Amino acid sequence: MAVHMVAEVMLSDDPYIVFYRTCACVLGWCLVRLFLSHTFFGGSVVHGTKCTAAIQAALQACAVCWVVTHDPHIAPLYWAMLGFQLGDADLVNIPSPAIAFLSTLAAGEFGMQLLHMRAWFEKPSDVVMVAHHLLCLVLWPMNVANGRGLFFIAVFLTYEVSTPFLMALFFDAVKNSNLPRVIIGTVFTLTFVLVRLGTLPSTAVAAYKAIATDFPSSRLPWWYVGQYATIMFYVERVTGCLPLLLNAYWGQLVVRAYFGEVVKALSADPNAATKMAKAA
């Protein structure tokens, strides 16, 4: 009985449960940040938020890898999408209890980051990250409650594979050492290009198909009617391609920064190329 209740709370798409689960995830990640900051980083808020983001991303990466290989609803469509073989498949109304939970878990971490924004907001371009976190915090739980868009959330969660390496680049032990910085930066860049940019064309085709086609569903909740349905219709179409545009923008920044760091490392240490080859 207790196990069933826990599973219901973790996997349910009931709007009230989704709301409280998201709030609980925000609180949970705040407690994780607090613990990490005071246990390992002398109270540093920004170090705690970066470490928390790395932990959340690592958990998401492992979990979503299981989803795209074993989930009976998501896995077949994911690989069909990568092969441009979706046909007439409904991409909007795919159910997935696993993604229902993982999306609120991720939204909770984004909420934690927003609560600690003053610690990591440094430059005007960080506004893009704030907008990203805010949209995910608001829209992903709504997607879960509406039972729509979970397939695309699964695709976007696969992007977290690269995030732990990005967070590692923030810490002084990596940032102040040329060779570790280049190696971890290389792994980050490769995973970013492979998982985010490499899948971008097929995801763009799938997103266009989902936006251009009105997929009816018998699973829509009772409140998905009238003005709410109209608003969500436009919200889905306006925000459907935003993650792809954001990752295309971030992708060119990542590639440019990577080559800049490689040039800097090679200039500082003439033997860096040999060391990198041996380390690989």
Side-chain angles (χ1 to χ4, degrees):
M1 183 66 178
V3 174
H4 177 76
M5 291 180 61
V6 171
E8 175 67 18
V9 170
M10 292 180 63
L11 306 178
S12 174
D13 58 2
D14 178 273
Y16 294 104
I17 294 179
V18 170
F19 173 76
Y20 289 117
R21 187 170 71 222
T22 303
C23 293
C25 287
V26 173
L27 177 60
W29 287 120
C30 285
L31 293 175
V32 170
R33 196 285 304 166
L34 187 66
F35 171 79
L36 293 172
S37 292
H38 289 277
T39 304
F40 299 105
F41 304 113
S44 171
V45 175
V46 67
H47 283 78
T49 58
K50 297 294 183 181
C51 192
T52 303
I55 292 172
Q56 192 273 149
L59 292 174
Q60 291 283 2
C62 295
V64 80
C65 282
W66 181 90
V67 169
V68 299
T69 54
H70 292 83
D71 188 295
H73 301 289
I74 300 292
L77 287 176
Y78 180 76
W79 298 103
M81 180 196 75
L82 294 183
F84 296 93
Q85 297 177 343
L86 284 171
D88 296 327
D90 180 356
L91 303 176
V92 178
N93 300 297
I94 306 300
S96 176
I99 295 301
F101 171 68
L102 292 176
S103 58
T104 49
L105 185 67
E109 194 268 331
F110 293 143
M112 182 278 295
Q113 295 287 351
L114 289 173
L115 290 175
H116 298 90
M117 182 176 65
R118 291 181 61 185
W120 54 263
F121 192 100
E122 298 176 344
K123 50 191 182 298
S125 59
D126 286 339
V127 171
V128 177
M129 188 64 69
V130 172
H132 167 272
H133 288 359
L134 185 59
L135 285 173
C136 291
L137 174 62
V138 174
L139 294 180
W140 282 11
M142 291 180 67
N143 285 128
V144 173
N146 293 334
R148 292 173 64 83
L150 299 189
F151 171 74
F152 289 101
I153 294 179
V155 174
F156 301 146
L157 286 177
T158 63
Y159 296 172
E160 293 298 290
V161 170
S162 65
T163 303
F165 305 106
L166 173 63
M167 295 299 106
L169 292 171
F170 170 81
F171 294 94
D172 293 338
V174 175
K175 188 163 52 178
N176 297 331
S177 303
N178 283 334
L179 189 56
R181 185 174 72 247
V182 171
I183 293 174
I184 294 177
T186 299
V187 176
F188 164 64
T189 304
L190 288 176
T191 54
F192 192 103
V193 171
L194 177 65
V195 179
R196 297 182 183 233
L197 300 184
T199 62
L200 197 150
S202 58
T203 308
V205 171
Y208 173 77
K209 175 182 171 62
I211 291 172
T213 308
D214 185 18
F215 290 106
S217 173
S218 59
R219 298 180 59 255
L220 289 177
W222 60 266
W223 64 82
Y224 203 92
V225 293
Q227 189 173 10
Y228 180 82
T230 302
I231 292 172
M232 291 308 301
F233 175 87
Y234 290 108
V235 168
E236 289 175 359
R237 278 147 183 79
V238 170
T239 61
C241 292
L242 282 181
L244 306 180
L245 296 175
L246 279 176
N247 279 280
Y249 167 72
W250 285 333
Q252 57 91 20
L253 294 179
V254 166
V255 173
R256 287 168 56 189
Y258 170 71
F259 282 110
E261 287 298 318
V262 170
V263 170
K264 185 188 301 183
L266 293 177
S267 300
D269 185 353
N271 298 318
T274 303
K275 293 179 181 177
M276 288 176 62
K278 289 180 178 179

